[in-house]
Amino acid sequence: MITTSVCIIGAGPGGATAALQLDRLGISCVVVDKAVFPRDKVCGDGLSGKVLSGLEKIDKGIAERLQQIVEKENSWGVTFVSPGRQSMDVPYKPNFNKATEAPIGFVCKRIHFDNFMVDELKRSPNVQLFEGVTVDKYTLEEDGYLISDASGQFAVKAKLLIIANGAHSSFTRDVAKIKMEPKYYAAGIRAYYKGVKGMHADSFIELHFLKDLLPGYLWIFPLPNGEANVGMDMLSDAVRDRKVNLKSLLTDTLKQDPIFAERFRDAEMISTLDGYGLPLGSKKRVISGNRYMLVGDAAFLIDPFTGEGIGNAVCTGIIAAKQAAASLEADNYSAETLAAYDERVYRVLGPELNLSYKLQRLVKYPKLFNWVFKMGMKNKQLRDVISSMFYEVDLRKKLARPSFYFKLLLNR
C-alpha cells in the first residue's frame, strides 16, 4: 500500500494543475488516472487566458513550454454570430499586433494539451503518477481515505483527497451527493473536420448562436494543419423537452444551412462524432467535505454561457493545492476547515458564473439577442465588454449594470 499526504484522482487539467502546484510548494502527492496518456477527451479544445496565467503563477517555465508546443493554434479573437446572422469580430485585445505580442488564447486538442500537462507531472520530483488505474473504492477511515482498484491490489492511503476525475465522477455523485440536474447541465457533441472554408485569417474562434439552438450554440474552433474542432451544445432540459438529436441537428445544419453548406462543401470529417456532458456552474454547490475537495468538472464549474471548463479547472486546481498545504500545516482536514476552499472558489469564480447564468437565460430570447448584436456592431463600448467575456471578469461585470444598457440605448 502507498501512503501519501495528498492523493489526486484524475490527471486532467484540474488534477494535474493541483499536483504541479503542490510540487512547487514542496509537498509530495500521488496522482491516479484510469487512462494511459496520451489519450483523447471530447471537448471544444479552447484554452482561455486563465490557463496560461494560472500556469504562469505556478511556474513561469510551464507557461513558456506551453507557448512553445507546436500542436496548438494561436487565437486572437472571437467571431460572434447572432440568431439574425449578424456577424461581429471581436479581438481579445484591441489593436493587437501578432508580430510583437503573445496570444491570449489558444486552441489545442486535449490529446496534446493533457499529455503536455502529464509530461510536466513526470518532470516534477514530488509527484508519483499512476496511469491505467481505475479507482473503484473510497473508504473514509479515522486517519484518512483508503482508495483502491476493484481487485484491491492497488491501494493508496491519503490524509486528503483532491477529486478531479471529471463530469462523471462517481465520488461527486456518491460521496459529495451532487446530482445531474438537466436545467444546470448541457449536452455537447464534437467532431474534427479538415478543409472548412472561410476560417478567419487571425484564427478567431467562431460562436454561432443559431435560433434553433438557443440557449446554446454551434462552434468552429481553428486548429493547426487546416483542421477545425466543430461542435454544438444545448441545455439538457431543452434537448429532452424538444426531443433533439444533437448529432442529426449538427450534421443537418452543416448540410442544409446555406452558409454552412458552402463552407463545409469540400470539408471532410476526420474523426467520429462524439458526445459529452457539461456540468454547469449555474448554481452554488458544496464542493468539499471531510478530507476531500472537488476541482474542475467534478465540482460542476463549467461556465454556463461560454462553456469554459479548462480555465476553471486550472483555477480550482491551484486553490485546492493551496488549501491542501494549509490543512497539512494545521493537520486539520475537517469539512469545516475545508469549507474555506469553497469560499475561495466562489469568491473568485462566483460573480462570473452568476453573470454567465443570467446571460444564458437572456440568450433564450432571439429578438433581444439580435438587438444587442446590432448595438454592438455600432458601439465600441459593447464590443470591448464582449471581448472580455471569456477572459476578464471585471469588465464582464458591466453587463450586469442597468446603466450599461441605458448608455447603449443612447449609443454613447
Side-chain angles (χ1 to χ4, degrees), residues 356-379:
S356 285
Y357 182 48
K358 290 175 184 175
L359 290 171
Q360 179 202 61
R361 287 184 290 172
L362 277 176
V363 167
K364 291 180 182 179
Y365 306 101
K367 288 182 180 178
L368 178 61
F369 204 17
N370 286 333
W371 174 79
V372 171
F373 266 73
K374 284 177 183 175
M375 291 297 102
M377 291 169 78
K378 348 181 234 195
N379 188 294

mmCIF file with all atom_site columns, all heavy atoms in Angstrom, residues 356-379:
data_model
loop_
_atom_site.group_PDB
_atom_site.id
_atom_site.type_symbol
_atom_site.label_atom_id
_atom_site.label_alt_id
_atom_site.label_comp_id
_atom_site.label_asym_id
_atom_site.label_entity_id
_atom_site.label_seq_id
_atom_site.pdbx_PDB_ins_code
_atom_site.Cartn_x
_atom_site.Cartn_y
_atom_site.Cartn_z
_atom_site.occupancy
_atom_site.B_iso_or_equiv
_atom_site.pdbx_formal_charge
_atom_site.auth_seq_id
_atom_site.auth_comp_id
_atom_site.auth_asym_id
_atom_site.auth_atom_id
_atom_site.pdbx_PDB_model_num
ATOM 1   N N   . SER A 1 356 ? -22.822 34.659 -16.047 1.00 0.00 ? 356 SER A N   1
ATOM 2   C CA  . SER A 1 356 ? -22.968 33.787 -17.212 1.00 0.00 ? 356 SER A CA  1
ATOM 3   C C   . SER A 1 356 ? -24.319 33.084 -17.210 1.00 0.00 ? 356 SER A C   1
ATOM 4   O O   . SER A 1 356 ? -24.930 32.883 -18.262 1.00 0.00 ? 356 SER A O   1
ATOM 5   C CB  . SER A 1 356 ? -21.848 32.750 -17.239 1.00 0.00 ? 356 SER A CB  1
ATOM 6   O OG  . SER A 1 356 ? -20.644 33.345 -17.644 1.00 0.00 ? 356 SER A OG  1
ATOM 7   N N   . TYR A 1 357 ? -24.787 32.729 -16.022 1.00 0.00 ? 357 TYR A N   1
ATOM 8   C CA  . TYR A 1 357 ? -26.102 32.087 -15.930 1.00 0.00 ? 357 TYR A CA  1
ATOM 9   C C   . TYR A 1 357 ? -27.200 33.060 -16.359 1.00 0.00 ? 357 TYR A C   1
ATOM 10  O O   . TYR A 1 357 ? -28.138 32.689 -17.076 1.00 0.00 ? 357 TYR A O   1
ATOM 11  C CB  . TYR A 1 357 ? -26.328 31.586 -14.507 1.00 0.00 ? 357 TYR A CB  1
ATOM 12  C CG  . TYR A 1 357 ? -27.645 30.864 -14.314 1.00 0.00 ? 357 TYR A CG  1
ATOM 13  C CD1 . TYR A 1 357 ? -28.045 29.868 -15.202 1.00 0.00 ? 357 TYR A CD1 1
ATOM 14  C CD2 . TYR A 1 357 ? -28.479 31.177 -13.244 1.00 0.00 ? 357 TYR A CD2 1
ATOM 15  C CE1 . TYR A 1 357 ? -29.251 29.201 -15.020 1.00 0.00 ? 357 TYR A CE1 1
ATOM 16  C CE2 . TYR A 1 357 ? -29.683 30.520 -13.059 1.00 0.00 ? 357 TYR A CE2 1
ATOM 17  C CZ  . TYR A 1 357 ? -30.061 29.535 -13.951 1.00 0.00 ? 357 TYR A CZ  1
ATOM 18  O OH  . TYR A 1 357 ? -31.268 28.883 -13.788 1.00 0.00 ? 357 TYR A OH  1
ATOM 19  N N   . LYS A 1 358 ? -27.067 34.326 -15.955 1.00 0.00 ? 358 LYS A N   1
ATOM 20  C CA  . LYS A 1 358 ? -28.048 35.338 -16.375 1.00 0.00 ? 358 LYS A CA  1
ATOM 21  C C   . LYS A 1 358 ? -28.004 35.533 -17.892 1.00 0.00 ? 358 LYS A C   1
ATOM 22  O O   . LYS A 1 358 ? -29.043 35.631 -18.554 1.00 0.00 ? 358 LYS A O   1
ATOM 23  C CB  . LYS A 1 358 ? -27.764 36.667 -15.667 1.00 0.00 ? 358 LYS A CB  1
ATOM 24  C CG  . LYS A 1 358 ? -28.059 36.643 -14.175 1.00 0.00 ? 358 LYS A CG  1
ATOM 25  C CD  . LYS A 1 358 ? -27.644 37.959 -13.517 1.00 0.00 ? 358 LYS A CD  1
ATOM 26  C CE  . LYS A 1 358 ? -27.849 37.896 -12.008 1.00 0.00 ? 358 LYS A CE  1
ATOM 27  N NZ  . LYS A 1 358 ? -27.348 39.119 -11.336 1.00 0.00 ? 358 LYS A NZ  1
ATOM 28  N N   . LEU A 1 359 ? -26.795 35.580 -18.446 1.00 0.00 ? 359 LEU A N   1
ATOM 29  C CA  . LEU A 1 359 ? -26.652 35.748 -19.891 1.00 0.00 ? 359 LEU A CA  1
ATOM 30  C C   . LEU A 1 359 ? -27.217 34.545 -20.637 1.00 0.00 ? 359 LEU A C   1
ATOM 31  O O   . LEU A 1 359 ? -27.866 34.689 -21.677 1.00 0.00 ? 359 LEU A O   1
ATOM 32  C CB  . LEU A 1 359 ? -25.179 35.938 -20.254 1.00 0.00 ? 359 LEU A CB  1
ATOM 33  C CG  . LEU A 1 359 ? -24.547 37.257 -19.826 1.00 0.00 ? 359 LEU A CG  1
ATOM 34  C CD1 . LEU A 1 359 ? -23.044 37.213 -20.050 1.00 0.00 ? 359 LEU A CD1 1
ATOM 35  C CD2 . LEU A 1 359 ? -25.158 38.424 -20.577 1.00 0.00 ? 359 LEU A CD2 1
ATOM 36  N N   . GLN A 1 360 ? -26.982 33.360 -20.088 1.00 0.00 ? 360 GLN A N   1
ATOM 37  C CA  . GLN A 1 360 ? -27.500 32.145 -20.713 1.00 0.00 ? 360 GLN A CA  1
ATOM 38  C C   . GLN A 1 360 ? -29.023 32.202 -20.808 1.00 0.00 ? 360 GLN A C   1
ATOM 39  O O   . GLN A 1 360 ? -29.613 31.821 -21.817 1.00 0.00 ? 360 GLN A O   1
ATOM 40  C CB  . GLN A 1 360 ? -27.070 30.919 -19.899 1.00 0.00 ? 360 GLN A CB  1
ATOM 41  C CG  . GLN A 1 360 ? -27.565 29.593 -20.448 1.00 0.00 ? 360 GLN A CG  1
ATOM 42  C CD  . GLN A 1 360 ? -27.589 28.530 -19.377 1.00 0.00 ? 360 GLN A CD  1
ATOM 43  O OE1 . GLN A 1 360 ? -28.291 28.648 -18.365 1.00 0.00 ? 360 GLN A OE1 1
ATOM 44  N NE2 . GLN A 1 360 ? -26.807 27.484 -19.582 1.00 0.00 ? 360 GLN A NE2 1
ATOM 45  N N   . ARG A 1 361 ? -29.670 32.708 -19.748 1.00 0.00 ? 361 ARG A N   1
ATOM 46  C CA  . ARG A 1 361 ? -31.131 32.802 -19.762 1.00 0.00 ? 361 ARG A CA  1
ATOM 47  C C   . ARG A 1 361 ? -31.605 33.884 -20.726 1.00 0.00 ? 361 ARG A C   1
ATOM 48  O O   . ARG A 1 361 ? -32.639 33.732 -21.383 1.00 0.00 ? 361 ARG A O   1
ATOM 49  C CB  . ARG A 1 361 ? -31.650 33.048 -18.348 1.00 0.00 ? 361 ARG A CB  1
ATOM 50  C CG  . ARG A 1 361 ? -31.559 31.804 -17.461 1.00 0.00 ? 361 ARG A CG  1
ATOM 51  C CD  . ARG A 1 361 ? -32.150 32.031 -16.098 1.00 0.00 ? 361 ARG A CD  1
ATOM 52  N NE  . ARG A 1 361 ? -31.319 32.945 -15.310 1.00 0.00 ? 361 ARG A NE  1
ATOM 53  C CZ  . ARG A 1 361 ? -31.686 33.441 -14.137 1.00 0.00 ? 361 ARG A CZ  1
ATOM 54  N NH1 . ARG A 1 361 ? -32.853 33.116 -13.617 1.00 0.00 ? 361 ARG A NH1 1
ATOM 55  N NH2 . ARG A 1 361 ? -30.878 34.247 -13.487 1.00 0.00 ? 361 ARG A NH2 1
ATOM 56  N N   . LEU A 1 362 ? -30.853 34.981 -20.845 1.00 0.00 ? 362 LEU A N   1
ATOM 57  C CA  . LEU A 1 362 ? -31.221 36.042 -21.782 1.00 0.00 ? 362 LEU A CA  1
ATOM 58  C C   . LEU A 1 362 ? -31.146 35.576 -23.237 1.00 0.00 ? 362 LEU A C   1
ATOM 59  O O   . LEU A 1 362 ? -31.906 36.015 -24.084 1.00 0.00 ? 362 LEU A O   1
ATOM 60  C CB  . LEU A 1 362 ? -30.292 37.245 -21.604 1.00 0.00 ? 362 LEU A CB  1
ATOM 61  C CG  . LEU A 1 362 ? -30.629 38.230 -20.491 1.00 0.00 ? 362 LEU A CG  1
ATOM 62  C CD1 . LEU A 1 362 ? -29.538 39.293 -20.402 1.00 0.00 ? 362 LEU A CD1 1
ATOM 63  C CD2 . LEU A 1 362 ? -31.977 38.892 -20.723 1.00 0.00 ? 362 LEU A CD2 1
ATOM 64  N N   . VAL A 1 363 ? -30.207 34.670 -23.496 1.00 0.00 ? 363 VAL A N   1
ATOM 65  C CA  . VAL A 1 363 ? -29.985 34.180 -24.856 1.00 0.00 ? 363 VAL A CA  1
ATOM 66  C C   . VAL A 1 363 ? -31.204 33.435 -25.388 1.00 0.00 ? 363 VAL A C   1
ATOM 67  O O   . VAL A 1 363 ? -31.353 33.245 -26.596 1.00 0.00 ? 363 VAL A O   1
ATOM 68  C CB  . VAL A 1 363 ? -28.713 33.297 -24.883 1.00 0.00 ? 363 VAL A CB  1
ATOM 69  C CG1 . VAL A 1 363 ? -28.595 32.496 -26.162 1.00 0.00 ? 363 VAL A CG1 1
ATOM 70  C CG2 . VAL A 1 363 ? -27.491 34.170 -24.720 1.00 0.00 ? 363 VAL A CG2 1
ATOM 71  N N   . LYS A 1 364 ? -32.109 33.033 -24.499 1.00 0.00 ? 364 LYS A N   1
ATOM 72  C CA  . LYS A 1 364 ? -33.319 32.337 -24.944 1.00 0.00 ? 364 LYS A CA  1
ATOM 73  C C   . LYS A 1 364 ? -34.212 33.229 -25.804 1.00 0.00 ? 364 LYS A C   1
ATOM 74  O O   . LYS A 1 364 ? -35.114 32.743 -26.479 1.00 0.00 ? 364 LYS A O   1
ATOM 75  C CB  . LYS A 1 364 ? -34.123 31.846 -23.735 1.00 0.00 ? 364 LYS A CB  1
ATOM 76  C CG  . LYS A 1 364 ? -33.468 30.721 -22.948 1.00 0.00 ? 364 LYS A CG  1
ATOM 77  C CD  . LYS A 1 364 ? -34.341 30.319 -21.775 1.00 0.00 ? 364 LYS A CD  1
ATOM 78  C CE  . LYS A 1 364 ? -33.693 29.226 -20.941 1.00 0.00 ? 364 LYS A CE  1
ATOM 79  N NZ  . LYS A 1 364 ? -34.516 28.842 -19.779 1.00 0.00 ? 364 LYS A NZ  1
ATOM 80  N N   . TYR A 1 365 ? -33.968 34.540 -25.754 1.00 0.00 ? 365 TYR A N   1
ATOM 81  C CA  . TYR A 1 365 ? -34.843 35.486 -26.451 1.00 0.00 ? 365 TYR A CA  1
ATOM 82  C C   . TYR A 1 365 ? -34.117 36.049 -27.675 1.00 0.00 ? 365 TYR A C   1
ATOM 83  O O   . TYR A 1 365 ? -33.357 37.017 -27.576 1.00 0.00 ? 365 TYR A O   1
ATOM 84  C CB  . TYR A 1 365 ? -35.257 36.598 -25.494 1.00 0.00 ? 365 TYR A CB  1
ATOM 85  C CG  . TYR A 1 365 ? -35.870 36.064 -24.218 1.00 0.00 ? 365 TYR A CG  1
ATOM 86  C CD1 . TYR A 1 365 ? -35.120 35.993 -23.039 1.00 0.00 ? 365 TYR A CD1 1
ATOM 87  C CD2 . TYR A 1 365 ? -37.184 35.589 -24.203 1.00 0.00 ? 365 TYR A CD2 1
ATOM 88  C CE1 . TYR A 1 365 ? -35.669 35.484 -21.876 1.00 0.00 ? 365 TYR A CE1 1
ATOM 89  C CE2 . TYR A 1 365 ? -37.733 35.077 -23.040 1.00 0.00 ? 365 TYR A CE2 1
ATOM 90  C CZ  . TYR A 1 365 ? -36.981 35.019 -21.876 1.00 0.00 ? 365 TYR A CZ  1
ATOM 91  O OH  . TYR A 1 365 ? -37.534 34.501 -20.735 1.00 0.00 ? 365 TYR A OH  1
ATOM 92  N N   . PRO A 1 366 ? -34.348 35.462 -28.856 1.00 0.00 ? 366 PRO A N   1
ATOM 93  C CA  . PRO A 1 366 ? -33.593 35.858 -30.055 1.00 0.00 ? 366 PRO A CA  1
ATOM 94  C C   . PRO A 1 366 ? -33.706 37.337 -30.396 1.00 0.00 ? 366 PRO A C   1
ATOM 95  O O   . PRO A 1 366 ? -32.730 37.944 -30.835 1.00 0.00 ? 366 PRO A O   1
ATOM 96  C CB  . PRO A 1 366 ? -34.204 34.979 -31.157 1.00 0.00 ? 366 PRO A CB  1
ATOM 97  C CG  . PRO A 1 366 ? -34.814 33.822 -30.444 1.00 0.00 ? 366 PRO A CG  1
ATOM 98  C CD  . PRO A 1 366 ? -35.269 34.349 -29.126 1.00 0.00 ? 366 PRO A CD  1
ATOM 99  N N   . LYS A 1 367 ? -34.884 37.941 -30.208 1.00 0.00 ? 367 LYS A N   1
ATOM 100 C CA  . LYS A 1 367 ? -35.047 39.352 -30.563 1.00 0.00 ? 367 LYS A CA  1
ATOM 101 C C   . LYS A 1 367 ? -34.145 40.236 -29.727 1.00 0.00 ? 367 LYS A C   1
ATOM 102 O O   . LYS A 1 367 ? -33.514 41.170 -30.234 1.00 0.00 ? 367 LYS A O   1
ATOM 103 C CB  . LYS A 1 367 ? -36.515 39.775 -30.407 1.00 0.00 ? 367 LYS A CB  1
ATOM 104 C CG  . LYS A 1 367 ? -37.433 39.194 -31.471 1.00 0.00 ? 367 LYS A CG  1
ATOM 105 C CD  . LYS A 1 367 ? -38.854 39.676 -31.300 1.00 0.00 ? 367 LYS A CD  1
ATOM 106 C CE  . LYS A 1 367 ? -39.760 39.076 -32.376 1.00 0.00 ? 367 LYS A CE  1
ATOM 107 N NZ  . LYS A 1 367 ? -41.173 39.493 -32.199 1.00 0.00 ? 367 LYS A NZ  1
ATOM 108 N N   . LEU A 1 368 ? -34.076 39.934 -28.427 1.00 0.00 ? 368 LEU A N   1
ATOM 109 C CA  . LEU A 1 368 ? -33.206 40.702 -27.538 1.00 0.00 ? 368 LEU A CA  1
ATOM 110 C C   . LEU A 1 368 ? -31.747 40.492 -27.916 1.00 0.00 ? 368 LEU A C   1
ATOM 111 O O   . LEU A 1 368 ? -30.944 41.439 -27.967 1.00 0.00 ? 368 LEU A O   1
ATOM 112 C CB  . LEU A 1 368 ? -33.444 40.289 -26.083 1.00 0.00 ? 368 LEU A CB  1
ATOM 113 C CG  . LEU A 1 368 ? -32.568 40.967 -25.030 1.00 0.00 ? 368 LEU A CG  1
ATOM 114 C CD1 . LEU A 1 368 ? -32.788 42.479 -25.032 1.00 0.00 ? 368 LEU A CD1 1
ATOM 115 C CD2 . LEU A 1 368 ? -32.850 40.392 -23.643 1.00 0.00 ? 368 LEU A CD2 1
ATOM 116 N N   . PHE A 1 369 ? -31.409 39.253 -28.220 1.00 0.00 ? 369 PHE A N   1
ATOM 117 C CA  . PHE A 1 369 ? -30.031 38.933 -28.580 1.00 0.00 ? 369 PHE A CA  1
ATOM 118 C C   . PHE A 1 369 ? -29.630 39.647 -29.874 1.00 0.00 ? 369 PHE A C   1
ATOM 119 O O   . PHE A 1 369 ? -28.543 40.207 -29.988 1.00 0.00 ? 369 PHE A O   1
ATOM 120 C CB  . PHE A 1 369 ? -29.907 37.414 -28.723 1.00 0.00 ? 369 PHE A CB  1
ATOM 121 C CG  . PHE A 1 369 ? -28.512 36.883 -28.523 1.00 0.00 ? 369 PHE A CG  1
ATOM 122 C CD1 . PHE A 1 369 ? -27.535 37.643 -27.913 1.00 0.00 ? 369 PHE A CD1 1
ATOM 123 C CD2 . PHE A 1 369 ? -28.189 35.600 -28.938 1.00 0.00 ? 369 PHE A CD2 1
ATOM 124 C CE1 . PHE A 1 369 ? -26.258 37.148 -27.725 1.00 0.00 ? 369 PHE A CE1 1
ATOM 125 C CE2 . PHE A 1 369 ? -26.910 35.095 -28.745 1.00 0.00 ? 369 PHE A CE2 1
ATOM 126 C CZ  . PHE A 1 369 ? -25.947 35.875 -28.148 1.00 0.00 ? 369 PHE A CZ  1
ATOM 127 N N   . ASN A 1 370 ? -30.538 39.612 -30.857 1.00 0.00 ? 370 ASN A N   1
ATOM 128 C CA  . ASN A 1 370 ? -30.263 40.310 -32.114 1.00 0.00 ? 370 ASN A CA  1
ATOM 129 C C   . ASN A 1 370 ? -30.060 41.807 -31.888 1.00 0.00 ? 370 ASN A C   1
ATOM 130 O O   . ASN A 1 370 ? -29.198 42.443 -32.502 1.00 0.00 ? 370 ASN A O   1
ATOM 131 C CB  . ASN A 1 370 ? -31.406 40.091 -33.109 1.00 0.00 ? 370 ASN A CB  1
ATOM 132 C CG  . ASN A 1 370 ? -31.409 38.696 -33.703 1.00 0.00 ? 370 ASN A CG  1
ATOM 133 O OD1 . ASN A 1 370 ? -30.367 38.049 -33.790 1.00 0.00 ? 370 ASN A OD1 1
ATOM 134 N ND2 . ASN A 1 370 ? -32.573 38.214 -34.111 1.00 0.00 ? 370 ASN A ND2 1
ATOM 135 N N   . TRP A 1 371 ? -30.867 42.378 -31.002 1.00 0.00 ? 371 TRP A N   1
ATOM 136 C CA  . TRP A 1 371 ? -30.766 43.817 -30.715 1.00 0.00 ? 371 TRP A CA  1
ATOM 137 C C   . TRP A 1 371 ? -29.396 44.143 -30.109 1.00 0.00 ? 371 TRP A C   1
ATOM 138 O O   . TRP A 1 371 ? -28.753 45.108 -30.499 1.00 0.00 ? 371 TRP A O   1
ATOM 139 C CB  . TRP A 1 371 ? -31.885 44.245 -29.767 1.00 0.00 ? 371 TRP A CB  1
ATOM 140 C CG  . TRP A 1 371 ? -31.766 45.669 -29.311 1.00 0.00 ? 371 TRP A CG  1
ATOM 141 C CD1 . TRP A 1 371 ? -32.107 46.785 -30.004 1.00 0.00 ? 371 TRP A CD1 1
ATOM 142 C CD2 . TRP A 1 371 ? -31.235 46.120 -28.064 1.00 0.00 ? 371 TRP A CD2 1
ATOM 143 N NE1 . TRP A 1 371 ? -31.838 47.918 -29.272 1.00 0.00 ? 371 TRP A NE1 1
ATOM 144 C CE2 . TRP A 1 371 ? -31.291 47.530 -28.070 1.00 0.00 ? 371 TRP A CE2 1
ATOM 145 C CE3 . TRP A 1 371 ? -30.717 45.471 -26.936 1.00 0.00 ? 371 TRP A CE3 1
ATOM 146 C CZ2 . TRP A 1 371 ? -30.858 48.303 -27.000 1.00 0.00 ? 371 TRP A CZ2 1
ATOM 147 C CZ3 . TRP A 1 371 ? -30.285 46.239 -25.866 1.00 0.00 ? 371 TRP A CZ3 1
ATOM 148 C CH2 . TRP A 1 371 ? -30.351 47.635 -25.898 1.00 0.00 ? 371 TRP A CH2 1
ATOM 149 N N   . VAL A 1 372 ? -28.962 43.316 -29.160 1.00 0.00 ? 372 VAL A N   1
ATOM 150 C CA  . VAL A 1 372 ? -27.659 43.554 -28.529 1.00 0.00 ? 372 VAL A CA  1
ATOM 151 C C   . VAL A 1 372 ? -26.547 43.477 -29.587 1.00 0.00 ? 372 VAL A C   1
ATOM 152 O O   . VAL A 1 372 ? -25.611 44.276 -29.590 1.00 0.00 ? 372 VAL A O   1
ATOM 153 C CB  . VAL A 1 372 ? -27.414 42.543 -27.384 1.00 0.00 ? 372 VAL A CB  1
ATOM 154 C CG1 . VAL A 1 372 ? -25.984 42.652 -26.868 1.00 0.00 ? 372 VAL A CG1 1
ATOM 155 C CG2 . VAL A 1 372 ? -28.390 42.784 -26.245 1.00 0.00 ? 372 VAL A CG2 1
ATOM 156 N N   . PHE A 1 373 ? -26.658 42.512 -30.509 1.00 0.00 ? 373 PHE A N   1
ATOM 157 C CA  . PHE A 1 373 ? -25.647 42.398 -31.560 1.00 0.00 ? 373 PHE A CA  1
ATOM 158 C C   . PHE A 1 373 ? -25.638 43.630 -32.460 1.00 0.00 ? 373 PHE A C   1
ATOM 159 O O   . PHE A 1 373 ? -24.577 44.139 -32.825 1.00 0.00 ? 373 PHE A O   1
ATOM 160 C CB  . PHE A 1 373 ? -25.893 41.135 -32.388 1.00 0.00 ? 373 PHE A CB  1
ATOM 161 C CG  . PHE A 1 373 ? -25.106 39.959 -31.921 1.00 0.00 ? 373 PHE A CG  1
ATOM 162 C CD1 . PHE A 1 373 ? -25.448 39.304 -30.742 1.00 0.00 ? 373 PHE A CD1 1
ATOM 163 C CD2 . PHE A 1 373 ? -24.018 39.493 -32.629 1.00 0.00 ? 373 PHE A CD2 1
ATOM 164 C CE1 . PHE A 1 373 ? -24.721 38.225 -30.300 1.00 0.00 ? 373 PHE A CE1 1
ATOM 165 C CE2 . PHE A 1 373 ? -23.289 38.403 -32.187 1.00 0.00 ? 373 PHE A CE2 1
ATOM 166 C CZ  . PHE A 1 373 ? -23.641 37.769 -31.019 1.00 0.00 ? 373 PHE A CZ  1
ATOM 167 N N   . LYS A 1 374 ? -26.831 44.091 -32.837 1.00 0.00 ? 374 LYS A N   1
ATOM 168 C CA  . LYS A 1 374 ? -26.899 45.279 -33.697 1.00 0.00 ? 374 LYS A CA  1
ATOM 169 C C   . LYS A 1 374 ? -26.259 46.475 -33.001 1.00 0.00 ? 374 LYS A C   1
ATOM 170 O O   . LYS A 1 374 ? -25.537 47.262 -33.619 1.00 0.00 ? 374 LYS A O   1
ATOM 171 C CB  . LYS A 1 374 ? -28.348 45.583 -34.048 1.00 0.00 ? 374 LYS A CB  1
ATOM 172 C CG  . LYS A 1 374 ? -28.928 44.647 -35.092 1.00 0.00 ? 374 LYS A CG  1
ATOM 173 C CD  . LYS A 1 374 ? -30.392 44.956 -35.343 1.00 0.00 ? 374 LYS A CD  1
ATOM 174 C CE  . LYS A 1 374 ? -30.975 43.963 -36.340 1.00 0.00 ? 374 LYS A CE  1
ATOM 175 N NZ  . LYS A 1 374 ? -32.427 44.165 -36.527 1.00 0.00 ? 374 LYS A NZ  1
ATOM 176 N N   . MET A 1 375 ? -26.531 46.598 -31.696 1.00 0.00 ? 375 MET A N   1
ATOM 177 C CA  . MET A 1 375 ? -25.910 47.682 -30.933 1.00 0.00 ? 375 MET A CA  1
ATOM 178 C C   . MET A 1 375 ? -24.391 47.520 -30.923 1.00 0.00 ? 375 MET A C   1
ATOM 179 O O   . MET A 1 375 ? -23.633 48.475 -31.072 1.00 0.00 ? 375 MET A O   1
ATOM 180 C CB  . MET A 1 375 ? -26.433 47.690 -29.494 1.00 0.00 ? 375 MET A CB  1
ATOM 181 C CG  . MET A 1 375 ? -27.884 48.100 -29.326 1.00 0.00 ? 375 MET A CG  1
ATOM 182 S SD  . MET A 1 375 ? -28.187 49.799 -29.842 1.00 0.00 ? 375 MET A SD  1
ATOM 183 C CE  . MET A 1 375 ? -28.947 49.521 -31.445 1.00 0.00 ? 375 MET A CE  1
ATOM 184 N N   . GLY A 1 376 ? -23.955 46.272 -30.740 1.00 0.00 ? 376 GLY A N   1
ATOM 185 C CA  . GLY A 1 376 ? -22.517 46.007 -30.656 1.00 0.00 ? 376 GLY A CA  1
ATOM 186 C C   . GLY A 1 376 ? -21.786 46.329 -31.939 1.00 0.00 ? 376 GLY A C   1
ATOM 187 O O   . GLY A 1 376 ? -20.622 46.748 -31.920 1.00 0.00 ? 376 GLY A O   1
ATOM 188 N N   . MET A 1 377 ? -22.460 46.149 -33.059 1.00 0.00 ? 377 MET A N   1
ATOM 189 C CA  . MET A 1 377 ? -21.821 46.418 -34.336 1.00 0.00 ? 377 MET A CA  1
ATOM 190 C C   . MET A 1 377 ? -21.542 47.910 -34.523 1.00 0.00 ? 377 MET A C   1
ATOM 191 O O   . MET A 1 377 ? -20.667 48.303 -35.278 1.00 0.00 ? 377 MET A O   1
ATOM 192 C CB  . MET A 1 377 ? -22.684 45.884 -35.480 1.00 0.00 ? 377 MET A CB  1
ATOM 193 C CG  . MET A 1 377 ? -22.726 44.352 -35.492 1.00 0.00 ? 377 MET A CG  1
ATOM 194 S SD  . MET A 1 377 ? -23.971 43.670 -36.597 1.00 0.00 ? 377 MET A SD  1
ATOM 195 C CE  . MET A 1 377 ? -23.135 43.886 -38.159 1.00 0.00 ? 377 MET A CE  1
ATOM 196 N N   . LYS A 1 378 ? -22.292 48.755 -33.791 1.00 0.00 ? 378 LYS A N   1
ATOM 197 C CA  . LYS A 1 378 ? -22.041 50.188 -33.900 1.00 0.00 ? 378 LYS A CA  1
ATOM 198 C C   . LYS A 1 378 ? -21.486 50.796 -32.626 1.00 0.00 ? 378 LYS A C   1
ATOM 199 O O   . LYS A 1 378 ? -21.239 51.984 -32.580 1.00 0.00 ? 378 LYS A O   1
ATOM 200 C CB  . LYS A 1 378 ? -23.311 50.964 -34.242 1.00 0.00 ? 378 LYS A CB  1
ATOM 201 C CG  . LYS A 1 378 ? -24.497 50.241 -34.664 1.00 0.00 ? 378 LYS A CG  1
ATOM 202 C CD  . LYS A 1 378 ? -25.644 51.169 -34.982 1.00 0.00 ? 378 LYS A CD  1
ATOM 203 C CE  . LYS A 1 378 ? -26.874 50.797 -34.217 1.00 0.00 ? 378 LYS A CE  1
ATOM 204 N NZ  . LYS A 1 378 ? -28.078 51.398 -34.718 1.00 0.00 ? 378 LYS A NZ  1
ATOM 205 N N   . ASN A 1 379 ? -21.325 49.984 -31.591 1.00 0.00 ? 379 ASN A N   1
ATOM 206 C CA  . ASN A 1 379 ? -20.963 50.542 -30.292 1.00 0.00 ? 379 ASN A CA  1
ATOM 207 C C   . ASN A 1 379 ? -19.684 49.897 -29.764 1.00 0.00 ? 379 ASN A C   1
ATOM 208 O O   . ASN A 1 379 ? -19.660 48.726 -29.413 1.00 0.00 ? 379 ASN A O   1
ATOM 209 C CB  . ASN A 1 379 ? -22.122 50.304 -29.311 1.00 0.00 ? 379 ASN A CB  1
ATOM 210 C CG  . ASN A 1 379 ? -21.904 51.012 -27.991 1.00 0.00 ? 379 ASN A CG  1
ATOM 211 O OD1 . ASN A 1 379 ? -20.985 50.664 -27.262 1.00 0.00 ? 379 ASN A OD1 1
ATOM 212 N ND2 . ASN A 1 379 ? -22.740 51.969 -27.680 1.00 0.00 ? 379 ASN A ND2 1
#
